[in-house]
Amino acid sequence: MSKKQRLHPAAIFFTLLKTIKELVFSIGVIGFLAFKDAGLIYFLIGTSVLILAVVVFSALSWYRYTYRLEEGELRIEYGILIRKKRYISKNRIQSIDLTQNIGHRIFKLVKVNIETAGSGVGTEASLKAVKLEMGEALREELKTVQKPIENDERNEGTNYNLPKQKITTKRLFLAGTTSGSIGILFVIMTFLFSELEQFIPDSYYENTFQTIISFSIIIIAVLILALLLILWLLGIAGTMIKFGKFTITKNNEELFITRGLLEKKQTTIPIRRIQAVGIDESILRQPLGYVTVYAEVAGGTIEKGEDFSTILFPIMKKSEVDGFLNKFLPDYVSNRNDLIGLPENAKTFYIIRSTILLLIALIAMLFFIPQFIWVPTILLLICLYMGLLRYKDAGFRIDHEQLTLRYRVINRKTIILFHKRIQSFEKKQHMIQKNASLATIKTSIVSKFGTGKHYKIKDLAVEDIMELTSWYSYRD
C-alpha cells in the first residue's frame, strides 16, 4: 500500500448520488416555478446542464483523490483545481470505523472513517469506497490489533474466543416498541409539512378542512389513532434497522461494535478513551425493568444520524447490567442501589421548579378561558409527578476513585465515572438554597468531538457536597 491508490470507481456514483440528493429540493422548487410560468423547456435544459456538471465534478474528484501508506502515515491527496495533502500519523489515530450501506454491499466495498483526537465534528479522513479486503487491511495496518469481528460470510464459524454479546430479535423488537421515537417522528413530519405548505394551494386547505369537519368525532379519533400507529410502527422499523445484528466484542483494550441491517457499521472504541458509562431508564422501559447502556467517549466525531453518546447495548434487563459490565468493562461495576439521596427539604424545590409555569398558566386560564382549565390541570399533575420522581431518584455514591451519580430529567440516568476523568467540579448555591443548607453540584468530563459533558444534581445537602468536594480535591 505504499503506492498511490485510488478509491473504487463506485465512489463516483456515491458522490453523484449524494450531490443530487442535496440538490433535489432546490431542483424541485425551480421545477415548480418553471411549470408555473410555462418555462418547462428552460427547466429541462438547466437540469441537464446541472446533472452533467455534477457527473464531471464527481469523476474528476475521484480521479484526483489518492491515498497511500508511507513511513507510518496515511497520506491523502485530493482537490481538482487546488491540490491538498493530508498526512495522518499512525500514532494519532484513535479509531477506524468501517461502514457498509446497500450500495457498498452490492459492490463488496466499505467506507473507512478514520478518527483522531482532534477530529472535531467531522472525521479526520474518510475513504468513501474501497474494497472490503483493502478496508480490513488498512484497519489492521493502522491499528495493529487482531481483528475480532466477522465482516462477511467468509468469517462465519471462526471462533475468536473473545467476550461477545449479541442482541436477540425479541429484545430488538422490544427496543423499538419502547424507543419513544413516535414523538420525534411527529416533530419531523410537522417540520416537513411546514416547509412544504408554501407550495400547497390554499384551496387544498379549504377542501381538506371542510372534509374533516364533515367527519364525526369517532372517525377523527380513528384517523388520529391510525396516524399514531403508523408513526409507532415506523419507530419500531427504524430501531430494528439501526441496531439490527448488534454485536459488541472485546479484544484486549478495545471494544468493537457492529450494527445495522441496511447500513452495516463497525465502530472501534479504545477503552482508555471511555470517560464514563451511563445507564438510561426511559419512562416506558423503567416499569418493564429494561435499560440502555451507553458510554461517553473522548474525542471521536458526530456523523449524520449518530448519537452524542455511544450505545454499548441498546436494551437489556436491569439485572443483567452488572454481568455485562463484568464481561466488557469490569472497572465500571458499582453499587448503584445504595446511593446517598437528597434531604427532605429539597423536595419542595423540585416540586416548585416542575410546576411553577403550569401553575401560572392554570391561574391565567381560570380567568380568561375557564372552559379549558382541564388542560393545564392534567399537565400540572403530570409535572408534579415528574418533580417527585426527580427528587426521589437523585443521588450519588463514592467508592474510592469511582463516583456514581443519578438524576432524572425525563429518563432516569445513572452515570459511573472515575476521579481522573473529571475535568471540573463546580458548586453553586443561591440565597434560598443557602438558607435551606442546600447547594447544586456540576461535574464535567470530555465527551464526543472534544466538547464537555456535564452532570448536575440540584439541592444536595451542604455536608454531602463538602464530602464530594473533599473527594475531588484529594490527590495521591
Side-chain angles (χ1 to χ4, degrees), residues 351-352 354-363 373-387:
I351 292 175
I352 291 175
S354 299
T355 59
I356 184 65
L357 293 179
L358 268 300
L359 190 59
I360 294 172
L362 183 67
I363 296 172
I373 194 69
W374 58 273
V375 176
T377 300
I378 294 175
L379 294 176
L380 181 66
L381 293 175
I382 293 173
C383 290
L384 175 62
Y385 177 68
M386 289 302 301

mmCIF file with all atom_site columns, all heavy atoms in Angstrom, residues 351-352 354-363 373-387:
data_model
loop_
_atom_site.group_PDB
_atom_site.id
_atom_site.type_symbol
_atom_site.label_atom_id
_atom_site.label_alt_id
_atom_site.label_comp_id
_atom_site.label_asym_id
_atom_site.label_entity_id
_atom_site.label_seq_id
_atom_site.pdbx_PDB_ins_code
_atom_site.Cartn_x
_atom_site.Cartn_y
_atom_site.Cartn_z
_atom_site.occupancy
_atom_site.B_iso_or_equiv
_atom_site.pdbx_formal_charge
_atom_site.auth_seq_id
_atom_site.auth_comp_id
_atom_site.auth_asym_id
_atom_site.auth_atom_id
_atom_site.pdbx_PDB_model_num
ATOM 1   N N   . ILE A 1 351 ? -40.507 20.247 43.458 1.00 0.00 ? 351 ILE A N   1
ATOM 2   C CA  . ILE A 1 351 ? -41.920 20.405 43.108 1.00 0.00 ? 351 ILE A CA  1
ATOM 3   C C   . ILE A 1 351 ? -42.180 21.784 42.517 1.00 0.00 ? 351 ILE A C   1
ATOM 4   O O   . ILE A 1 351 ? -42.871 21.925 41.502 1.00 0.00 ? 351 ILE A O   1
ATOM 5   C CB  . ILE A 1 351 ? -42.806 20.166 44.355 1.00 0.00 ? 351 ILE A CB  1
ATOM 6   C CG1 . ILE A 1 351 ? -42.722 18.697 44.768 1.00 0.00 ? 351 ILE A CG1 1
ATOM 7   C CG2 . ILE A 1 351 ? -44.244 20.581 44.078 1.00 0.00 ? 351 ILE A CG2 1
ATOM 8   C CD1 . ILE A 1 351 ? -43.454 18.378 46.052 1.00 0.00 ? 351 ILE A CD1 1
ATOM 9   N N   . ILE A 1 352 ? -41.602 22.820 43.118 1.00 0.00 ? 352 ILE A N   1
ATOM 10  C CA  . ILE A 1 352 ? -41.820 24.181 42.625 1.00 0.00 ? 352 ILE A CA  1
ATOM 11  C C   . ILE A 1 352 ? -41.251 24.349 41.217 1.00 0.00 ? 352 ILE A C   1
ATOM 12  O O   . ILE A 1 352 ? -41.902 24.899 40.326 1.00 0.00 ? 352 ILE A O   1
ATOM 13  C CB  . ILE A 1 352 ? -41.195 25.205 43.594 1.00 0.00 ? 352 ILE A CB  1
ATOM 14  C CG1 . ILE A 1 352 ? -41.975 25.229 44.918 1.00 0.00 ? 352 ILE A CG1 1
ATOM 15  C CG2 . ILE A 1 352 ? -41.174 26.605 42.972 1.00 0.00 ? 352 ILE A CG2 1
ATOM 16  C CD1 . ILE A 1 352 ? -41.358 26.115 45.985 1.00 0.00 ? 352 ILE A CD1 1
ATOM 17  N N   . SER A 1 354 ? -40.814 22.154 38.949 1.00 0.00 ? 354 SER A N   1
ATOM 18  C CA  . SER A 1 354 ? -41.533 21.345 37.961 1.00 0.00 ? 354 SER A CA  1
ATOM 19  C C   . SER A 1 354 ? -42.926 21.883 37.656 1.00 0.00 ? 354 SER A C   1
ATOM 20  O O   . SER A 1 354 ? -43.479 21.589 36.586 1.00 0.00 ? 354 SER A O   1
ATOM 21  C CB  . SER A 1 354 ? -41.649 19.897 38.455 1.00 0.00 ? 354 SER A CB  1
ATOM 22  O OG  . SER A 1 354 ? -40.372 19.321 38.629 1.00 0.00 ? 354 SER A OG  1
ATOM 23  N N   . THR A 1 355 ? -43.517 22.660 38.574 1.00 0.00 ? 355 THR A N   1
ATOM 24  C CA  . THR A 1 355 ? -44.924 23.035 38.411 1.00 0.00 ? 355 THR A CA  1
ATOM 25  C C   . THR A 1 355 ? -45.177 24.532 38.288 1.00 0.00 ? 355 THR A C   1
ATOM 26  O O   . THR A 1 355 ? -46.302 24.921 37.973 1.00 0.00 ? 355 THR A O   1
ATOM 27  C CB  . THR A 1 355 ? -45.736 22.519 39.623 1.00 0.00 ? 355 THR A CB  1
ATOM 28  O OG1 . THR A 1 355 ? -45.204 23.089 40.838 1.00 0.00 ? 355 THR A OG1 1
ATOM 29  C CG2 . THR A 1 355 ? -45.664 20.999 39.718 1.00 0.00 ? 355 THR A CG2 1
ATOM 30  N N   . ILE A 1 356 ? -44.195 25.373 38.507 1.00 0.00 ? 356 ILE A N   1
ATOM 31  C CA  . ILE A 1 356 ? -44.444 26.809 38.594 1.00 0.00 ? 356 ILE A CA  1
ATOM 32  C C   . ILE A 1 356 ? -45.049 27.373 37.311 1.00 0.00 ? 356 ILE A C   1
ATOM 33  O O   . ILE A 1 356 ? -45.997 28.158 37.340 1.00 0.00 ? 356 ILE A O   1
ATOM 34  C CB  . ILE A 1 356 ? -43.138 27.563 38.987 1.00 0.00 ? 356 ILE A CB  1
ATOM 35  C CG1 . ILE A 1 356 ? -43.413 29.044 39.184 1.00 0.00 ? 356 ILE A CG1 1
ATOM 36  C CG2 . ILE A 1 356 ? -42.045 27.328 37.972 1.00 0.00 ? 356 ILE A CG2 1
ATOM 37  C CD1 . ILE A 1 356 ? -44.323 29.363 40.325 1.00 0.00 ? 356 ILE A CD1 1
ATOM 38  N N   . LEU A 1 357 ? -44.515 26.985 36.153 1.00 0.00 ? 357 LEU A N   1
ATOM 39  C CA  . LEU A 1 357 ? -45.028 27.523 34.881 1.00 0.00 ? 357 LEU A CA  1
ATOM 40  C C   . LEU A 1 357 ? -46.453 27.051 34.620 1.00 0.00 ? 357 LEU A C   1
ATOM 41  O O   . LEU A 1 357 ? -47.301 27.835 34.172 1.00 0.00 ? 357 LEU A O   1
ATOM 42  C CB  . LEU A 1 357 ? -44.105 27.108 33.737 1.00 0.00 ? 357 LEU A CB  1
ATOM 43  C CG  . LEU A 1 357 ? -42.697 27.715 33.747 1.00 0.00 ? 357 LEU A CG  1
ATOM 44  C CD1 . LEU A 1 357 ? -41.887 27.193 32.569 1.00 0.00 ? 357 LEU A CD1 1
ATOM 45  C CD2 . LEU A 1 357 ? -42.767 29.239 33.698 1.00 0.00 ? 357 LEU A CD2 1
ATOM 46  N N   . LEU A 1 358 ? -46.733 25.790 34.882 1.00 0.00 ? 358 LEU A N   1
ATOM 47  C CA  . LEU A 1 358 ? -48.087 25.273 34.686 1.00 0.00 ? 358 LEU A CA  1
ATOM 48  C C   . LEU A 1 358 ? -49.056 25.893 35.673 1.00 0.00 ? 358 LEU A C   1
ATOM 49  O O   . LEU A 1 358 ? -50.233 26.111 35.360 1.00 0.00 ? 358 LEU A O   1
ATOM 50  C CB  . LEU A 1 358 ? -48.086 23.753 34.824 1.00 0.00 ? 358 LEU A CB  1
ATOM 51  C CG  . LEU A 1 358 ? -47.903 22.925 33.548 1.00 0.00 ? 358 LEU A CG  1
ATOM 52  C CD1 . LEU A 1 358 ? -49.023 23.215 32.559 1.00 0.00 ? 358 LEU A CD1 1
ATOM 53  C CD2 . LEU A 1 358 ? -46.562 23.184 32.910 1.00 0.00 ? 358 LEU A CD2 1
ATOM 54  N N   . LEU A 1 359 ? -48.581 26.184 36.874 1.00 0.00 ? 359 LEU A N   1
ATOM 55  C CA  . LEU A 1 359 ? -49.438 26.820 37.871 1.00 0.00 ? 359 LEU A CA  1
ATOM 56  C C   . LEU A 1 359 ? -49.844 28.223 37.423 1.00 0.00 ? 359 LEU A C   1
ATOM 57  O O   . LEU A 1 359 ? -51.001 28.628 37.568 1.00 0.00 ? 359 LEU A O   1
ATOM 58  C CB  . LEU A 1 359 ? -48.711 26.882 39.219 1.00 0.00 ? 359 LEU A CB  1
ATOM 59  C CG  . LEU A 1 359 ? -49.542 27.302 40.435 1.00 0.00 ? 359 LEU A CG  1
ATOM 60  C CD1 . LEU A 1 359 ? -50.710 26.339 40.637 1.00 0.00 ? 359 LEU A CD1 1
ATOM 61  C CD2 . LEU A 1 359 ? -48.674 27.375 41.677 1.00 0.00 ? 359 LEU A CD2 1
ATOM 62  N N   . ILE A 1 360 ? -48.896 28.956 36.850 1.00 0.00 ? 360 ILE A N   1
ATOM 63  C CA  . ILE A 1 360 ? -49.204 30.290 36.315 1.00 0.00 ? 360 ILE A CA  1
ATOM 64  C C   . ILE A 1 360 ? -50.193 30.180 35.154 1.00 0.00 ? 360 ILE A C   1
ATOM 65  O O   . ILE A 1 360 ? -51.159 30.956 35.056 1.00 0.00 ? 360 ILE A O   1
ATOM 66  C CB  . ILE A 1 360 ? -47.907 30.993 35.854 1.00 0.00 ? 360 ILE A CB  1
ATOM 67  C CG1 . ILE A 1 360 ? -47.002 31.271 37.064 1.00 0.00 ? 360 ILE A CG1 1
ATOM 68  C CG2 . ILE A 1 360 ? -48.221 32.281 35.113 1.00 0.00 ? 360 ILE A CG2 1
ATOM 69  C CD1 . ILE A 1 360 ? -45.632 31.792 36.695 1.00 0.00 ? 360 ILE A CD1 1
ATOM 70  N N   . ALA A 1 361 ? -49.984 29.205 34.271 1.00 0.00 ? 361 ALA A N   1
ATOM 71  C CA  . ALA A 1 361 ? -50.903 29.002 33.153 1.00 0.00 ? 361 ALA A CA  1
ATOM 72  C C   . ALA A 1 361 ? -52.293 28.620 33.637 1.00 0.00 ? 361 ALA A C   1
ATOM 73  O O   . ALA A 1 361 ? -53.311 29.048 33.075 1.00 0.00 ? 361 ALA A O   1
ATOM 74  C CB  . ALA A 1 361 ? -50.359 27.913 32.231 1.00 0.00 ? 361 ALA A CB  1
ATOM 75  N N   . LEU A 1 362 ? -52.346 27.819 34.694 1.00 0.00 ? 362 LEU A N   1
ATOM 76  C CA  . LEU A 1 362 ? -53.636 27.406 35.262 1.00 0.00 ? 362 LEU A CA  1
ATOM 77  C C   . LEU A 1 362 ? -54.418 28.603 35.787 1.00 0.00 ? 362 LEU A C   1
ATOM 78  O O   . LEU A 1 362 ? -55.623 28.738 35.539 1.00 0.00 ? 362 LEU A O   1
ATOM 79  C CB  . LEU A 1 362 ? -53.382 26.399 36.389 1.00 0.00 ? 362 LEU A CB  1
ATOM 80  C CG  . LEU A 1 362 ? -54.609 25.787 37.058 1.00 0.00 ? 362 LEU A CG  1
ATOM 81  C CD1 . LEU A 1 362 ? -55.343 24.891 36.069 1.00 0.00 ? 362 LEU A CD1 1
ATOM 82  C CD2 . LEU A 1 362 ? -54.206 24.992 38.284 1.00 0.00 ? 362 LEU A CD2 1
ATOM 83  N N   . ILE A 1 363 ? -53.732 29.497 36.479 1.00 0.00 ? 363 ILE A N   1
ATOM 84  C CA  . ILE A 1 363 ? -54.385 30.695 37.018 1.00 0.00 ? 363 ILE A CA  1
ATOM 85  C C   . ILE A 1 363 ? -54.866 31.606 35.891 1.00 0.00 ? 363 ILE A C   1
ATOM 86  O O   . ILE A 1 363 ? -55.982 32.142 35.925 1.00 0.00 ? 363 ILE A O   1
ATOM 87  C CB  . ILE A 1 363 ? -53.421 31.456 37.956 1.00 0.00 ? 363 ILE A CB  1
ATOM 88  C CG1 . ILE A 1 363 ? -53.088 30.585 39.182 1.00 0.00 ? 363 ILE A CG1 1
ATOM 89  C CG2 . ILE A 1 363 ? -54.013 32.787 38.385 1.00 0.00 ? 363 ILE A CG2 1
ATOM 90  C CD1 . ILE A 1 363 ? -52.005 31.155 40.060 1.00 0.00 ? 363 ILE A CD1 1
ATOM 91  N N   . ILE A 1 373 ? -59.829 24.735 31.420 1.00 0.00 ? 373 ILE A N   1
ATOM 92  C CA  . ILE A 1 373 ? -58.989 24.645 32.618 1.00 0.00 ? 373 ILE A CA  1
ATOM 93  C C   . ILE A 1 373 ? -58.453 23.237 32.839 1.00 0.00 ? 373 ILE A C   1
ATOM 94  O O   . ILE A 1 373 ? -57.420 23.025 33.487 1.00 0.00 ? 373 ILE A O   1
ATOM 95  C CB  . ILE A 1 373 ? -59.805 25.111 33.859 1.00 0.00 ? 373 ILE A CB  1
ATOM 96  C CG1 . ILE A 1 373 ? -58.880 25.361 35.048 1.00 0.00 ? 373 ILE A CG1 1
ATOM 97  C CG2 . ILE A 1 373 ? -60.858 24.074 34.224 1.00 0.00 ? 373 ILE A CG2 1
ATOM 98  C CD1 . ILE A 1 373 ? -57.998 26.545 34.869 1.00 0.00 ? 373 ILE A CD1 1
ATOM 99  N N   . TRP A 1 374 ? -59.122 22.236 32.239 1.00 0.00 ? 374 TRP A N   1
ATOM 100 C CA  . TRP A 1 374 ? -58.709 20.849 32.441 1.00 0.00 ? 374 TRP A CA  1
ATOM 101 C C   . TRP A 1 374 ? -57.364 20.541 31.783 1.00 0.00 ? 374 TRP A C   1
ATOM 102 O O   . TRP A 1 374 ? -56.640 19.654 32.230 1.00 0.00 ? 374 TRP A O   1
ATOM 103 C CB  . TRP A 1 374 ? -59.777 19.902 31.896 1.00 0.00 ? 374 TRP A CB  1
ATOM 104 C CG  . TRP A 1 374 ? -60.074 20.092 30.444 1.00 0.00 ? 374 TRP A CG  1
ATOM 105 C CD1 . TRP A 1 374 ? -60.971 20.966 29.893 1.00 0.00 ? 374 TRP A CD1 1
ATOM 106 C CD2 . TRP A 1 374 ? -59.467 19.409 29.350 1.00 0.00 ? 374 TRP A CD2 1
ATOM 107 N NE1 . TRP A 1 374 ? -60.975 20.870 28.532 1.00 0.00 ? 374 TRP A NE1 1
ATOM 108 C CE2 . TRP A 1 374 ? -60.059 19.915 28.161 1.00 0.00 ? 374 TRP A CE2 1
ATOM 109 C CE3 . TRP A 1 374 ? -58.495 18.418 29.243 1.00 0.00 ? 374 TRP A CE3 1
ATOM 110 C CZ2 . TRP A 1 374 ? -59.698 19.466 26.904 1.00 0.00 ? 374 TRP A CZ2 1
ATOM 111 C CZ3 . TRP A 1 374 ? -58.136 17.967 27.996 1.00 0.00 ? 374 TRP A CZ3 1
ATOM 112 C CH2 . TRP A 1 374 ? -58.729 18.482 26.841 1.00 0.00 ? 374 TRP A CH2 1
ATOM 113 N N   . VAL A 1 375 ? -57.009 21.304 30.710 1.00 0.00 ? 375 VAL A N   1
ATOM 114 C CA  . VAL A 1 375 ? -55.753 21.040 30.014 1.00 0.00 ? 375 VAL A CA  1
ATOM 115 C C   . VAL A 1 375 ? -54.539 21.305 30.910 1.00 0.00 ? 375 VAL A C   1
ATOM 116 O O   . VAL A 1 375 ? -53.720 20.402 31.139 1.00 0.00 ? 375 VAL A O   1
ATOM 117 C CB  . VAL A 1 375 ? -55.665 21.855 28.706 1.00 0.00 ? 375 VAL A CB  1
ATOM 118 C CG1 . VAL A 1 375 ? -54.307 21.634 28.036 1.00 0.00 ? 375 VAL A CG1 1
ATOM 119 C CG2 . VAL A 1 375 ? -56.802 21.479 27.771 1.00 0.00 ? 375 VAL A CG2 1
ATOM 120 N N   . PRO A 1 376 ? -54.374 22.540 31.448 1.00 0.00 ? 376 PRO A N   1
ATOM 121 C CA  . PRO A 1 376 ? -53.215 22.758 32.329 1.00 0.00 ? 376 PRO A CA  1
ATOM 122 C C   . PRO A 1 376 ? -53.308 21.973 33.632 1.00 0.00 ? 376 PRO A C   1
ATOM 123 O O   . PRO A 1 376 ? -52.280 21.679 34.247 1.00 0.00 ? 376 PRO A O   1
ATOM 124 C CB  . PRO A 1 376 ? -53.234 24.269 32.577 1.00 0.00 ? 376 PRO A CB  1
ATOM 125 C CG  . PRO A 1 376 ? -54.631 24.684 32.340 1.00 0.00 ? 376 PRO A CG  1
ATOM 126 C CD  . PRO A 1 376 ? -55.151 23.787 31.256 1.00 0.00 ? 376 PRO A CD  1
ATOM 127 N N   . THR A 1 377 ? -54.546 21.605 34.041 1.00 0.00 ? 377 THR A N   1
ATOM 128 C CA  . THR A 1 377 ? -54.683 20.821 35.276 1.00 0.00 ? 377 THR A CA  1
ATOM 129 C C   . THR A 1 377 ? -54.043 19.448 35.116 1.00 0.00 ? 377 THR A C   1
ATOM 130 O O   . THR A 1 377 ? -53.297 18.980 35.986 1.00 0.00 ? 377 THR A O   1
ATOM 131 C CB  . THR A 1 377 ? -56.166 20.669 35.651 1.00 0.00 ? 377 THR A CB  1
ATOM 132 O OG1 . THR A 1 377 ? -56.741 21.958 35.853 1.00 0.00 ? 377 THR A OG1 1
ATOM 133 C CG2 . THR A 1 377 ? -56.315 19.855 36.934 1.00 0.00 ? 377 THR A CG2 1
ATOM 134 N N   . ILE A 1 378 ? -54.327 18.799 33.981 1.00 0.00 ? 378 ILE A N   1
ATOM 135 C CA  . ILE A 1 378 ? -53.727 17.490 33.721 1.00 0.00 ? 378 ILE A CA  1
ATOM 136 C C   . ILE A 1 378 ? -52.208 17.606 33.604 1.00 0.00 ? 378 ILE A C   1
ATOM 137 O O   . ILE A 1 378 ? -51.459 16.805 34.181 1.00 0.00 ? 378 ILE A O   1
ATOM 138 C CB  . ILE A 1 378 ? -54.331 16.881 32.441 1.00 0.00 ? 378 ILE A CB  1
ATOM 139 C CG1 . ILE A 1 378 ? -55.808 16.565 32.653 1.00 0.00 ? 378 ILE A CG1 1
ATOM 140 C CG2 . ILE A 1 378 ? -53.561 15.620 32.030 1.00 0.00 ? 378 ILE A CG2 1
ATOM 141 C CD1 . ILE A 1 378 ? -56.525 16.072 31.406 1.00 0.00 ? 378 ILE A CD1 1
ATOM 142 N N   . LEU A 1 379 ? -51.756 18.634 32.850 1.00 0.00 ? 379 LEU A N   1
ATOM 143 C CA  . LEU A 1 379 ? -50.311 18.829 32.698 1.00 0.00 ? 379 LEU A CA  1
ATOM 144 C C   . LEU A 1 379 ? -49.653 19.143 34.040 1.00 0.00 ? 379 LEU A C   1
ATOM 145 O O   . LEU A 1 379 ? -48.522 18.709 34.301 1.00 0.00 ? 379 LEU A O   1
ATOM 146 C CB  . LEU A 1 379 ? -50.040 19.954 31.701 1.00 0.00 ? 379 LEU A CB  1
ATOM 147 C CG  . LEU A 1 379 ? -50.463 19.676 30.253 1.00 0.00 ? 379 LEU A CG  1
ATOM 148 C CD1 . LEU A 1 379 ? -50.225 20.903 29.390 1.00 0.00 ? 379 LEU A CD1 1
ATOM 149 C CD2 . LEU A 1 379 ? -49.696 18.486 29.688 1.00 0.00 ? 379 LEU A CD2 1
ATOM 150 N N   . LEU A 1 380 ? -50.357 19.877 34.892 1.00 0.00 ? 380 LEU A N   1
ATOM 151 C CA  . LEU A 1 380 ? -49.816 20.211 36.218 1.00 0.00 ? 380 LEU A CA  1
ATOM 152 C C   . LEU A 1 380 ? -49.618 18.951 37.054 1.00 0.00 ? 380 LEU A C   1
ATOM 153 O O   . LEU A 1 380 ? -48.597 18.796 37.731 1.00 0.00 ? 380 LEU A O   1
ATOM 154 C CB  . LEU A 1 380 ? -50.764 21.184 36.927 1.00 0.00 ? 380 LEU A CB  1
ATOM 155 C CG  . LEU A 1 380 ? -50.330 21.641 38.325 1.00 0.00 ? 380 LEU A CG  1
ATOM 156 C CD1 . LEU A 1 380 ? -49.065 22.483 38.237 1.00 0.00 ? 380 LEU A CD1 1
ATOM 157 C CD2 . LEU A 1 380 ? -51.453 22.434 39.003 1.00 0.00 ? 380 LEU A CD2 1
ATOM 158 N N   . LEU A 1 381 ? -50.575 18.044 37.001 1.00 0.00 ? 381 LEU A N   1
ATOM 159 C CA  . LEU A 1 381 ? -50.450 16.798 37.758 1.00 0.00 ? 381 LEU A CA  1
ATOM 160 C C   . LEU A 1 381 ? -49.291 15.953 37.242 1.00 0.00 ? 381 LEU A C   1
ATOM 161 O O   . LEU A 1 381 ? -48.554 15.341 38.027 1.00 0.00 ? 381 LEU A O   1
ATOM 162 C CB  . LEU A 1 381 ? -51.760 16.015 37.677 1.00 0.00 ? 381 LEU A CB  1
ATOM 163 C CG  . LEU A 1 381 ? -52.964 16.653 38.386 1.00 0.00 ? 381 LEU A CG  1
ATOM 164 C CD1 . LEU A 1 381 ? -54.231 15.840 38.131 1.00 0.00 ? 381 LEU A CD1 1
ATOM 165 C CD2 . LEU A 1 381 ? -52.700 16.785 39.885 1.00 0.00 ? 381 LEU A CD2 1
ATOM 166 N N   . ILE A 1 382 ? -49.122 15.935 35.909 1.00 0.00 ? 382 ILE A N   1
ATOM 167 C CA  . ILE A 1 382 ? -48.004 15.186 35.325 1.00 0.00 ? 382 ILE A CA  1
ATOM 168 C C   . ILE A 1 382 ? -46.672 15.777 35.770 1.00 0.00 ? 382 ILE A C   1
ATOM 169 O O   . ILE A 1 382 ? -45.741 15.053 36.154 1.00 0.00 ? 382 ILE A O   1
ATOM 170 C CB  . ILE A 1 382 ? -48.111 15.180 33.783 1.00 0.00 ? 382 ILE A CB  1
ATOM 171 C CG1 . ILE A 1 382 ? -49.337 14.379 33.338 1.00 0.00 ? 382 ILE A CG1 1
ATOM 172 C CG2 . ILE A 1 382 ? -46.844 14.585 33.159 1.00 0.00 ? 382 ILE A CG2 1
ATOM 173 C CD1 . ILE A 1 382 ? -49.613 14.456 31.854 1.00 0.00 ? 382 ILE A CD1 1
ATOM 174 N N   . CYS A 1 383 ? -46.558 17.110 35.717 1.00 0.00 ? 383 CYS A N   1
ATOM 175 C CA  . CYS A 1 383 ? -45.310 17.772 36.125 1.00 0.00 ? 383 CYS A CA  1
ATOM 176 C C   . CYS A 1 383 ? -45.048 17.602 37.622 1.00 0.00 ? 383 CYS A C   1
ATOM 177 O O   . CYS A 1 383 ? -43.893 17.479 38.041 1.00 0.00 ? 383 CYS A O   1
ATOM 178 C CB  . CYS A 1 383 ? -45.371 19.259 35.767 1.00 0.00 ? 383 CYS A CB  1
ATOM 179 S SG  . CYS A 1 383 ? -45.302 19.574 33.993 1.00 0.00 ? 383 CYS A SG  1
ATOM 180 N N   . LEU A 1 384 ? -46.120 17.596 38.418 1.00 0.00 ? 384 LEU A N   1
ATOM 181 C CA  . LEU A 1 384 ? -45.960 17.345 39.855 1.00 0.00 ? 384 LEU A CA  1
ATOM 182 C C   . LEU A 1 384 ? -45.381 15.958 40.095 1.00 0.00 ? 384 LEU A C   1
ATOM 183 O O   . LEU A 1 384 ? -44.451 15.779 40.905 1.00 0.00 ? 384 LEU A O   1
ATOM 184 C CB  . LEU A 1 384 ? -47.311 17.490 40.552 1.00 0.00 ? 384 LEU A CB  1
ATOM 185 C CG  . LEU A 1 384 ? -47.343 17.148 42.053 1.00 0.00 ? 384 LEU A CG  1
ATOM 186 C CD1 . LEU A 1 384 ? -46.434 18.084 42.840 1.00 0.00 ? 384 LEU A CD1 1
ATOM 187 C CD2 . LEU A 1 384 ? -48.777 17.209 42.583 1.00 0.00 ? 384 LEU A CD2 1
ATOM 188 N N   . TYR A 1 385 ? -45.887 14.986 39.366 1.00 0.00 ? 385 TYR A N   1
ATOM 189 C CA  . TYR A 1 385 ? -45.376 13.610 39.490 1.00 0.00 ? 385 TYR A CA  1
ATOM 190 C C   . TYR A 1 385 ? -43.921 13.535 39.045 1.00 0.00 ? 385 TYR A C   1
ATOM 191 O O   . TYR A 1 385 ? -43.097 12.875 39.704 1.00 0.00 ? 385 TYR A O   1
ATOM 192 C CB  . TYR A 1 385 ? -46.255 12.678 38.647 1.00 0.00 ? 385 TYR A CB  1
ATOM 193 C CG  . TYR A 1 385 ? -45.781 11.252 38.640 1.00 0.00 ? 385 TYR A CG  1
ATOM 194 C CD1 . TYR A 1 385 ? -45.832 10.467 39.790 1.00 0.00 ? 385 TYR A CD1 1
ATOM 195 C CD2 . TYR A 1 385 ? -45.268 10.668 37.475 1.00 0.00 ? 385 TYR A CD2 1
ATOM 196 C CE1 . TYR A 1 385 ? -45.394 9.152  39.785 1.00 0.00 ? 385 TYR A CE1 1
ATOM 197 C CE2 . TYR A 1 385 ? -44.834 9.353  37.459 1.00 0.00 ? 385 TYR A CE2 1
ATOM 198 C CZ  . TYR A 1 385 ? -44.900 8.608  38.625 1.00 0.00 ? 385 TYR A CZ  1
ATOM 199 O OH  . TYR A 1 385 ? -44.465 7.302  38.624 1.00 0.00 ? 385 TYR A OH  1
ATOM 200 N N   . MET A 1 386 ? -43.573 14.223 37.933 1.00 0.00 ? 386 MET A N   1
ATOM 201 C CA  . MET A 1 386 ? -42.199 14.216 37.464 1.00 0.00 ? 386 MET A CA  1
ATOM 202 C C   . MET A 1 386 ? -41.273 14.880 38.477 1.00 0.00 ? 386 MET A C   1
ATOM 203 O O   . MET A 1 386 ? -40.131 14.440 38.686 1.00 0.00 ? 386 MET A O   1
ATOM 204 C CB  . MET A 1 386 ? -42.089 14.926 36.112 1.00 0.00 ? 386 MET A CB  1
ATOM 205 C CG  . MET A 1 386 ? -42.703 14.171 34.942 1.00 0.00 ? 386 MET A CG  1
ATOM 206 S SD  . MET A 1 386 ? -41.977 12.522 34.704 1.00 0.00 ? 386 MET A SD  1
ATOM 207 C CE  . MET A 1 386 ? -40.258 12.948 34.444 1.00 0.00 ? 386 MET A CE  1
ATOM 208 N N   . GLY A 1 387 ? -41.735 15.952 39.122 1.00 0.00 ? 387 GLY A N   1
ATOM 209 C CA  . GLY A 1 387 ? -40.921 16.610 40.145 1.00 0.00 ? 387 GLY A CA  1
ATOM 210 C C   . GLY A 1 387 ? -40.620 15.685 41.311 1.00 0.00 ? 387 GLY A C   1
ATOM 211 O O   . GLY A 1 387 ? -39.491 15.639 41.818 1.00 0.00 ? 387 GLY A O   1
#
